[in-house]
Structure formats: structure tokens, C-alpha cells
């Protein structure tokens, strides 16, 4: 107390602050970036990850590094267009799912999610402590990109269907909105996959252009209104057990940043990644309750469908590995890591979950 009182009386603390602030101001430039999101503003949780990043970067740099966020459709459309805009130099960074660019190269799918792959916590472990970040950045650098995990939805729901799926025969010819490598798996099951941006799914389902659609989970799905036109709500979304959303930065722009700004961006991306999952965990239970009270029929995919999908997934991985050395290299590391993770998760956590859900 005496030391603080002395400093206050002598004005040393004020003087130190007065000297420090101009020094920081002189050594750090004012930088303004634009970020385009792959998602509309109406989907506030998944879109909100970009707002979290921008707010924290500004705060951590004293307002010197500002990132203006644009929703899907404001500068460029959603989906793969967000990533394309970064590569083209239209914007410095974006917030989107890499699997939207699966058509360019199958390895883009690994950055987001693989069917029967890792959940949110396992994916975070792989990116932050395993080889995930290193391997994916080696791949993304071929496209002039620097990547940062920037959100996760957790294990998703399996989507909305006009008709009940009683067997594999019901999947034949099913026009299903699904993104990424999952489309190839569903095609092996007989479906006709459709990749449609989030904002366009409802009108397609309403008009009957598609028979079924998936997005994320109860909170987002309720907002998009799928329950109004399709009452059968399936789970689990085996193709997205832990969807990673990324911040992608043009590498040439990233390399120009001062070290302090890079650190601020990395810290803000980490915060966005962690808080998105927590926010979905907070919002999804109440949203599911509301959906069920409105007449939605909650249904689990049959074991027949799950087993067929798992087999088809392995076939797709073998096919993609034969075509893409990058996919083979990274997916092998991914699933090797997942095997170890699952061995651990199957002990304490699985047994606790079984007990809580009344399993015998």
C-alpha cells in the first residue's frame, strides 16, 4: 500500500504510462482488413465467430488493427466463394468451412470434418497438439493460405426429411442437401447430393427441389425453419462429428503483419473457436425442446444405415487417397490420431454417458 501511495503521489505511474503509449503508437501501424463470412448474419452463432475475432483483435491492439466483417452475400456469396475471395485478393481473410472447396481438391474436406471422424474436442487436440495444424497448413500454403481453427459446431444432427427412412431403399434417389466429402458417401448409398449454401436451403426444401437437408443442429435449424416443411429430424450427423470452421488469411497479407498483431489474431481465433462450441451447447438443448413441442419427430438412423454409411466412407477414403497424395498422407495421420482418441474416450467418458442415459 505504501509503495502504491508513493507512486501515486509522485506521479511515476502516470509518467510511465505517458511514455509507454506513444512508444507503442510509434512502432505499430494502423491496419484495416476485410473479412468475408461464409454464413449469413441470421445464423448468429456460426456467423458470430467472425465478430468475436474482429472485436478481440481490435481490443488487443488498442484499435490499431481493425477487421471489418461482411456476411455472406454482402461482398461475395457464401460457401466456397469466401475462400476464393481470399485467394483472389478481394479480401484479406475469411471465416468459412474448408470442405466447401472439396471440389478443388479432396484434402480440403479434412480441414472441416470427415465422416465417422473426430468430434470437437478430439479435433482441437489434433490441431493444437497433434499434427493437424502443421499438416493442414502445409496443404493450405499451396493455395496461398494461412489457417486458424475458428469455431466448431460439435456433432451435428442428421438433417430433415420429408419421409421416414425405414431402410436403405428409402435413400435411393433421395435429393439431399449435404456438403463436402459426405456427398460422395451419400451417393454410394444411392442419394443424389446437392451442395446448397445455408441461406438457400429452405426455399429448395419448401419447393420440393430437394427431399431432405442438413445444416448444423437444433438452434440453427430452427432459425432456418426446416421443421415447417419436413418433420422427420434424424440423428446423428455421422458425416460431421465435429465440424471445424476456419479463419483463412492470405499468406502474403499475414506475412506483412507485425508480430504483436499476429499474436492478437491467433489469440482471438482461439477464443472464437472455444466460445462457438460453448454457445451451441448452451442454445441447442432449448431449441430442440421447442422443435419437439411443435410436432417434430426425432428419429435415429438405423444400424443398417449407419453400418452401410461407415463402409461407404472407407471406400471413399480409399478412392480419394489413390488420387491425392495429400489426402492420403493427412487422412492417415488423422485417423491414426482418432483411433488413439477413441480408445481413451471409450473408457471413462463413454461409460459415464451410458450410465446417465440409462443404458444397461
Amino acid at each position: 500500500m505504501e509503495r502504491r501511495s508513493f507512486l501515486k503521489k509522485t506521479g511515476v505511474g502516470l509518467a510511465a504510462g505517458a511514455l509507454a503509449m506513444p512508444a507503442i503508437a510509434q512502432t505499430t501501424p494502423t491496419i484495416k482488413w476485410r473479412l468475408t463470412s461464409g454464413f449469413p448474419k441470421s445464423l448468429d452463432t456460426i456467423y458470430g465467430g467472425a465478430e468475436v475475432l474482429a472485436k478481440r483483435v481490435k481490443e488487443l491492439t488498442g484499435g490499431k488493427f481493425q477487421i471489418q466483417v461482411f456476411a455472406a452475400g454482402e461482398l461475395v456469396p457464401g460457401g466456397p466463394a469466401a475462400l476464393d475471395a481470399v485467394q483472389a485478393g478481394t479480401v484479406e481473410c475469411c471465416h468459412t468451412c474448408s470442405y466447401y472447396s472439396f471440389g478443388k481438391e479432396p484434402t480440403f474436406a479434412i480441414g472441416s470434418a470427415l465422416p465417422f471422424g473426430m468430434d470437437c474436442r478430439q479435433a482441437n487436440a489434433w490441431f493444437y497438439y497433434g499434427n493437424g495444424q502443421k499438416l493442414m497448413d502445409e496443404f493450405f500454403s499451396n493455395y496461398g493460405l494461412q489457417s486458424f481453427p475458428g469455431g466448431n459446431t460439435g456433432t451435428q444432427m442428421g438433417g430433415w426429411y420429408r419421409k421416414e427412412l425405414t431402410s436403405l431403399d428409402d435413400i435411393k434417389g433421395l435429393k439431399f442437401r449435404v456438403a463436402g466429402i459426405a456427398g460422395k458417401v451419400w451417393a454410394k448409398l444411392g442419394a443424389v447430393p446437392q451442395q446448397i449454401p445455408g441461406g438457400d436451403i429452405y426455399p429448395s426444401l419448401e419447393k420440393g427441389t430437394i427431399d431432405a437437408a442438413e445444416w448444423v443442429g437444433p438452434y440453427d435449424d430452427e432459425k432456418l425453419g426446416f421443421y415447417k416443411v419436413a418433420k422427420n429430424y434424424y440423428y446423428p450427423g455421422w458425416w460431421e462429428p465435429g465440424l471445424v470452421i476456419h479463419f483463412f488469411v492470405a499468406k502474403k497479407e499475414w506475412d506483412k503483419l507485425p508480430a504483436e498483431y499476429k499474436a492478437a489474431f491467433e489469440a482471438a481465433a482461439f477464443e472464437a473457436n472455444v466460445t462457438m462450441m460453448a454457445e451451441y451447447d448452451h442454445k441447442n438443448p432449448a431449441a430442440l425442446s421447442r422443435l419437439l413441442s411443435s410436432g417434430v419427430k426425432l428419429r435415429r438412423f438405423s444400424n443398417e444405415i449407419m453400418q452401410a454409411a461407415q463402409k461407404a466412407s472407407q471406400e471413399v477414403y480409399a478412392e480419394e487417397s489413390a488420387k491425392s497424395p495429400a489426402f492420403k498422407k493427412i487422412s492417415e495421420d488423422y485417423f491414426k490420431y482418432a483411433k488413439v482418441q477413441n480408445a481413451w474416450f471409450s473408457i471413462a467418458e463413454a461409460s459415464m454417458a451410458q450410465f446417465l442415459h440409462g443404458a444397461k
Side-chain angles (χ1 to χ4, degrees), residues 37-48 51 69-74 219-220 223:
S37 172
F39 316 104
K41 279 185 180 179
S42 58
L43 298 176
D44 58 306
T45 305
I46 199 165
Y47 166 82
E51 295 284 7
V69 178
F70 295 87
E74 291 181 346
Y219 181 72
D220 280 3
K223 275 180 166 287

Side-chain angles (χ1 to χ4, degrees), residues 193-355:
Q194 313 282 319
Q195 184 160 303
I196 302 171
D200 298 331
I201 300 173
Y202 180 86
S204 298
L205 193 59
E206 183 183 35
K207 294 173 184 176
T209 307
I210 55 177
D211 306 308
E214 59 81 42
W215 179 245
V216 172
Y219 181 72
D220 280 3
D221 292 358
E222 181 186 34
K223 275 180 166 287
L224 291 170
F226 300 146
Y227 65 96
K228 298 175 184 177
V229 288
K231 292 292 186 182
N232 297 292
Y233 197 22
Y234 275 83
Y235 71 95
W238 42 263
W239 55 96
E240 289 170 311
L243 178 69
V244 181
I245 299 95
H246 272 90
F247 292 108
F248 289 103
V249 181
K251 193 149 190 335
K252 63 181 180 179
E253 299 298 334
W254 178 256
D255 291 342
K256 296 177 189 176
L257 287 180
E260 301 95 321
Y261 290 8
K262 289 181 178 178
F265 192 101
E266 289 172 353
F270 184 87
E271 182 176 332
N273 186 33
V274 174
T275 56
M276 184 185 291
M277 185 72 264
E279 189 171 357
Y280 270 124
D281 280 342
H282 173 69
K283 292 176 174 178
N284 277 331
L288 180 60
S289 179
R290 290 191 298 269
L291 288 169
L292 293 177
S293 67
S294 70
V296 166
K297 299 172 183 176
L298 194 60
R299 303 187 188 280
R300 185 185 183 279
F301 286 122
S302 68
N303 287 339
E304 178 193 27
I305 291 175
M306 293 287 284
Q307 290 164 1
Q310 189 173 37
K311 180 176 181 292
S313 297
Q314 295 304 316
E315 293 173 1
V316 169
Y317 299 148
E319 292 165 2
E320 299 302 333
S321 292
K323 293 185 292 185
S324 168
F327 185 91
K328 184 177 189 298
K329 174 184 176 181
I330 301 176
S331 66
E332 284 179 353
D333 186 89
Y334 176 99
F335 281 113
K336 181 180 178 181
Y337 195 85
K339 184 176 180 180
V340 175
Q341 288 287 306
N342 288 329
W344 158 239
F345 273 57
S346 68
I347 300 173
E349 224 166 295
S351 62
M352 190 67 185
Q354 288 170 358
F355 174 78

